[in-house]
Amino acid sequence: MPEEPAGESVRPLERGLAVLRALALADPGQLRAGDLVRATGLARSTVDRVTATLTRLGYVRAHGQELHLTPRLMELGNAYLAASGLTGEVAARTVRLADELDESVSLAVPDGDGVRFVTQAARRRAMSVAFRIGDLLPPERCAPGALFADAWDEERWAAWRARVAAGPAQDVFPALPPGPAPTEIPDLAARVARSRETGWALDDQLIEPGLIAVAVPVRDPAGRTRYALSAVSHTSRHTAEGLAAAVLPRLRAEAEELAGLSAAPQPPDVVPPRAGSADPATAKAELGPEFLQSLARGLAVLRALGGARGDGLPLTALAAAAGLTRATARRCLRTLELAGYAAHDGRLYRPLPRILELGHAALSRLTFAEIAEPHVRELTERVHQSASVTVLDGTDILYVARAATVRVMSVRITLGTRFPAYATAMGRVLLAGLPREERERLLREAPPRALTPRTVTDPDELARVLERVAADGWATADQELEEGLRSVAVPVRDAAGQVVAALNVARHAGTAPLAETRDALLPALRGTAAAIEADLHTAARFQAVRLP
């Protein structure tokens, strides 16, 4: 790749980061290019070029005039999480601990004079925690803050005092609930002294009335507080002291386990490029001046920082990982450093938690259905037939995402609709993805019955059909659920290769042979399933994605 001129501006990267921040702060589905102009102060032509570049990179999707962040953008936040030492096992342990305690559990890291969440397992109750991964809280109003402030030097304390004196914390911490704080600004120094003495910290309704939390430190091998592990509840369930008595022994034991996991050597962070990823040179040739190559290169460097575990990575290694020259990578890193997304100790570079502001918080609560829906809509537009995604619910399929065509004769199904799994193409894909014993058990629970003259009901024949589906990776159902209805379906798999959903296209059977319909639809179905899987794997890398 040719060397960039030494004097070339890195402003495209700065502007791209500003647009991403504005997109991340906006209400989903309510932002257009004109709104970005007002939010960033950039010229409309600049905003258009930035959004065109982000769209080509797969980080932004346009739906009409509205702009939406895509799950692929979580690659950036995942780079920080990987470099911080977070692993899928650490995140899974957080979920198991929340189940055990029956309370919300989170891990947080320090970010300047703030506290930022990096993983969370929230209880699904009417009163539950609404903070997201990547949200920033003031240390004086949360339990982890007292643990992290114990390591502050006088310069950091002075910066905190200046920030507190400047005015309401909501101006700096938009994740805080609106309205006045429930208490006066707590004495953070006194809370730090108490946590140093006891080894844990308490939040007794410091953020909002009713919310209580207990936090303990997770230390690195040098004894520094790497994470804060918190259990969060409500005064309708516990008093603050009662919560501490109930959860502290288990929190402390888990913190010891997490410290050991964090200290263990981790394999290099290698994330294979996804299908459809934009090569900057190719994209530049396709879009011409509308593609900001410097922005694409800067974001490639940011992704490469995911390998900067421990103390960080040298420039040479980062340049190689991003596929850039040293000079280009250095300028990108300098821009990221000035913007607060990377740090440099004179030799090594590492990412900073502020990266999570670039859409990670906004995307961290996506459900599987919300991830799948845009891809289903695009599939329908491509094949001009209705498309759906279902999951297995007992012996039925349950529709969770759907896009229908507008025709004189069309398939009319709504979200939440159920059908017997054995008589549908999607159900066969889902049944075929189960262990054989589980599949047989489900079919015994609800013996197949004829819904049309074509429905396969013989147990031995149905077993052979499901074995073929498991081997082929696709299924068909030709007028077995309803006369005239034909469907072709493929599986959607999680990162472990397990079938978690099925994707189909349904149409009127017509007069064409089934094989012709299957061959016409399979390429588009497989491509869409791969796109859904790529987004699912990115979104679920460090957190659970909720299935219906």
Side-chain angles (χ1 to χ4, degrees), residues 32-256:
R32 303 184 178 195
D35 300 316
L36 288 174
V37 170
R38 288 186 288 275
T40 62
L42 298 172
R44 175 61 186 262
S45 60
T46 300
V47 167
D48 287 344
R49 293 179 68 198
V50 168
T51 55
T53 302
L54 294 173
T55 300
R56 184 64 179 85
L57 293 172
Y59 291 151
V60 169
R61 178 186 291 114
H63 183 47
Q65 293 186 354
E66 295 173 354
L67 299 169
H68 300 260
L69 300 177
T70 72
R72 179 177 290 193
L73 183 63
M74 295 180 77
E75 291 175 342
L76 306 183
N78 285 349
Y80 165 74
L81 295 175
S84 76
L86 195 68
T87 65
E89 172 59 17
V90 170
R93 290 186 71 100
T94 304
V95 174
R96 292 196 292 268
L97 182 59
D99 289 340
E100 179 183 339
L101 298 176
D102 195 25
E103 302 290 356
S104 297
V105 173
S106 63
L107 279 175
V109 296
D111 185 2
D113 70 345
V115 173
R116 201 177 292 275
F117 292 104
V118 294
T119 189
Q120 185 180 92
R123 298 293 81 198
R124 295 174 66 181
R125 298 192 180 103
M127 296 288 291
S128 62
V129 177
F131 296 124
R132 307 165 300 179
I133 294 173
D135 275 341
L136 187 69
L137 292 182
E140 67 273 14
R141 295 202 178 275
C142 62
L147 302 176
F148 295 138
D150 191 27
W152 288 359
D153 57 19
E154 185 49 44
E155 182 179 354
R156 180 67 68 192
W157 275 105
W160 173 78
R161 294 187 190 99
R163 193 263 298 161
V164 169
Q170 282 90 346
D171 296 342
V172 182
F173 302 94
L176 283 177
T183 65
E184 295 297 320
I185 296 173
D187 186 339
L188 183 57
R191 293 181 61 228
V192 168
R194 177 165 176 76
S195 69
R196 185 184 303 135
E197 177 185 343
T198 62
W200 58 279
L202 180 68
D203 167 4
D204 187 0
Q205 306 181 75
L206 298 177
I207 292 179
E208 68 177 17
L211 184 68
I212 53 177
V214 174
V216 298
V218 178
R219 301 191 185 279
D220 64 16
R224 297 168 297 198
T225 300
R226 185 172 197 171
Y227 302 114
L229 174 66
S230 302
V232 185
S233 190
H234 194 269
T235 51
S236 60
R237 291 174 55 81
H238 297 278
T239 64
E241 294 75 14
L243 177 65
V247 304
L248 263 177
R250 190 63 188 87
L251 281 180
R252 283 170 164 154
E254 185 65 17
E256 290 291 331

Side-chain angles (χ1 to χ4, degrees), residues 197-459:
E197 177 185 343
T198 62
W200 58 279
L202 180 68
D203 167 4
D204 187 0
Q205 306 181 75
L206 298 177
I207 292 179
E208 68 177 17
L211 184 68
I212 53 177
V214 174
V216 298
V218 178
R219 301 191 185 279
D220 64 16
R224 297 168 297 198
T225 300
R226 185 172 197 171
Y227 302 114
L229 174 66
S230 302
V232 185
S233 190
H234 194 269
T235 51
S236 60
R237 291 174 55 81
H238 297 278
T239 64
E241 294 75 14
L243 177 65
V247 304
L248 263 177
R250 190 63 188 87
L251 281 180
R252 283 170 164 154
E254 185 65 17
E256 290 291 331
E257 294 290 333
L258 291 177
L261 286 174
S262 299
Q266 300 294 330
D269 186 59
V270 178
V271 181
R274 335 198 219 186
S277 293
D279 172 70
T282 303
K284 184 71 173 177
E286 291 176 358
L287 296 182
E290 293 303 304
F291 186 81
L292 299 174
Q293 199 167 40
S294 293
L295 172 57
R297 288 170 171 172
L299 295 178
V301 171
L302 198 157
R303 291 194 302 273
L305 284 166
R309 289 178 174 152
D311 294 329
L313 281 178
L315 174 62
T316 300
L318 284 168
L324 302 173
T325 64
R326 282 171 51 90
T328 299
R330 182 187 294 112
R331 293 177 56 253
C332 292
L333 285 162
R334 179 59 178 160
T335 303
L336 293 171
E337 186 180 0
L338 291 172
Y341 299 112
H344 181 221
D345 66 2
R347 188 178 68 90
L348 301 176
Y349 294 89
R350 57 184 175 85
L352 293 176
R354 192 183 182 194
I355 291 171
L356 295 170
E357 287 184 352
L358 299 178
H360 208 91
L363 296 165
S364 65
R365 291 284 179 88
L366 286 177
T367 65
F368 172 75
E370 290 167 333
I371 290 171
E373 189 273 334
H375 298 288
V376 176
R377 186 172 62 240
E378 290 173 1
L379 175 61
T380 292
E381 292 170 355
R382 177 177 173 184
V383 301
H384 309 294
Q385 301 290 344
S386 297
S388 306
V389 171
T390 64
V391 297
L392 194 63
D393 188 12
T395 57
D396 293 338
I397 60 171
L398 174 69
Y399 281 74
V400 298
R402 179 163 171 78
T405 54
V406 178
R407 292 173 175 269
V408 173
M409 181 177 293
S410 60
V411 180
R412 298 192 181 277
I413 296 169
T414 59
L415 297 183
T417 297
R418 296 172 180 272
F419 289 124
Y422 67 86
T424 66
M426 288 189 288
R428 290 172 177 176
V429 163
L430 292 165
L431 290 170
L434 297 174
R436 185 174 301 168
E437 297 78 8
E438 177 71 4
R439 182 194 314 163
E440 293 172 351
R441 182 187 66 78
L442 289 176
L443 293 175
R444 284 196 304 271
E445 286 183 4
R449 60 183 180 86
L451 302 175
T452 76
R454 296 171 178 261
T455 308
V456 175
T457 58
D458 178 73

